[in-house]
Amino acid sequence: MTDTNARLLALADKQDIAEVLYRYARGCDRADEAALRSCFHPDSRHNHGMFEGLSWDFVDRAIAICRPLKACKHMISNVMIELDGDRAVSECHFWAHHRRVDDKTGAEEDFFTGGRYLDRLERRDGVWKIISRTGVADFERFDAPSDRVMWTMPAAKIGGKHPDDPIYAMVADLGDGR
């Protein structure tokens, strides 16, 4: 294999891995259980926040947290990937916002958190998925909401949960040739 071919294959592998990380963020934001599960091999382990166990059990917890949120946004950046054949290690930064209800006061609050996901991935049957995830927290912040316009917009212009968010209709239309 030429050096150019090897570099192109490595680039394709890194893109496939980055898309796993991005799909995880979408899965959280849209409370899309299938999208979240597709990021992890069934035997994947998870150590994030107060949770330690199987990643598929963490998905249940993530859905229980994200589904009732009025708004949810996860962003992934600074993706770094080291490849070794069918194994890889990745580090990425995450930033998340949850509009939620404070259990103590019953009032809405904005919870912001950020840190890094440290992942081990494996390619099995040609598909990259996470086999081990460690979440490292770097900050958290709680604020009272300070919205001005967003919640006065039509519902169709505000992000929604699976399957109602507009991205799912767009992807279906793409598959239908529209």
Side-chain angles (χ1 to χ4, degrees):
M1 181 180 322
T2 67
D3 185 51
T4 300
N5 287 343
R7 290 184 68 199
L8 288 173
L9 289 173
L11 184 60
D13 285 339
K14 288 182 178 189
Q15 181 61 36
D16 288 347
I17 290 169
E19 288 184 19
V20 170
L21 305 175
Y22 301 145
R23 188 170 56 252
Y24 177 83
R26 178 193 281 174
C28 287
D29 295 343
R30 306 285 70 88
D32 185 338
E33 183 177 347
L36 285 174
R37 288 197 191 286
S38 75
C39 298
F40 302 100
H41 288 294
D43 56 336
S44 177
R45 302 288 303 170
H46 221 88
N47 185 0
H48 183 108
M50 303 304 287
F51 181 89
E52 189 168 348
L54 289 173
S55 296
W56 279 33
D57 292 339
F58 182 84
V59 168
D60 295 334
R61 180 181 175 132
I63 292 296
I65 290 169
C66 294
R67 182 160 301 284
L69 296 174
K70 186 174 183 179
C72 187
K73 176 60 65 187
H74 290 73
M75 291 186 281
I76 302 294
S77 68
N78 299 33
V79 176
M80 299 294 295
I81 300 166
E82 297 291 330
L83 297 168
D84 183 17
D86 288 335
R87 298 179 318 135
V89 171
S90 73
E91 173 190 38
C92 68
H93 291 243
F94 72 87
W95 183 94
H97 163 254
H98 296 172
R99 171 64 60 85
R100 63 189 208 170
V101 174
D102 182 328
D103 292 338
K104 294 178 184 132
T105 67
E108 285 187 352
E109 68 180 359
D110 286 327
F111 168 55
F112 299 93
T113 186
R116 292 173 294 136
Y117 296 133
L118 309 177
D119 295 324
R120 293 184 185 277
L121 300 99
E122 289 182 0
R123 178 174 35 206
R124 297 179 185 170
D125 298 321
V127 178
W128 285 102
K129 293 186 182 187
I130 298 166
I131 189 63
S132 168
R133 168 164 280 179
T134 299
V136 177
D138 290 328
F139 77 91
E140 70 175 6
R141 181 180 173 136
F142 298 86
D143 290 321
S146 59
D147 305 319
R148 299 213 176 155
V149 178
M150 185 170 149
W151 300 109
T152 65
M153 294 189 307
K157 293 189 177 186
I158 298 173
K161 304 295 185 206
H162 177 267
D164 300 321
D165 189 85
I167 190 61
Y168 296 100
M170 291 176 71
V171 170
D173 287 349
L174 181 65
D176 292 341
R178 289 184 254 167

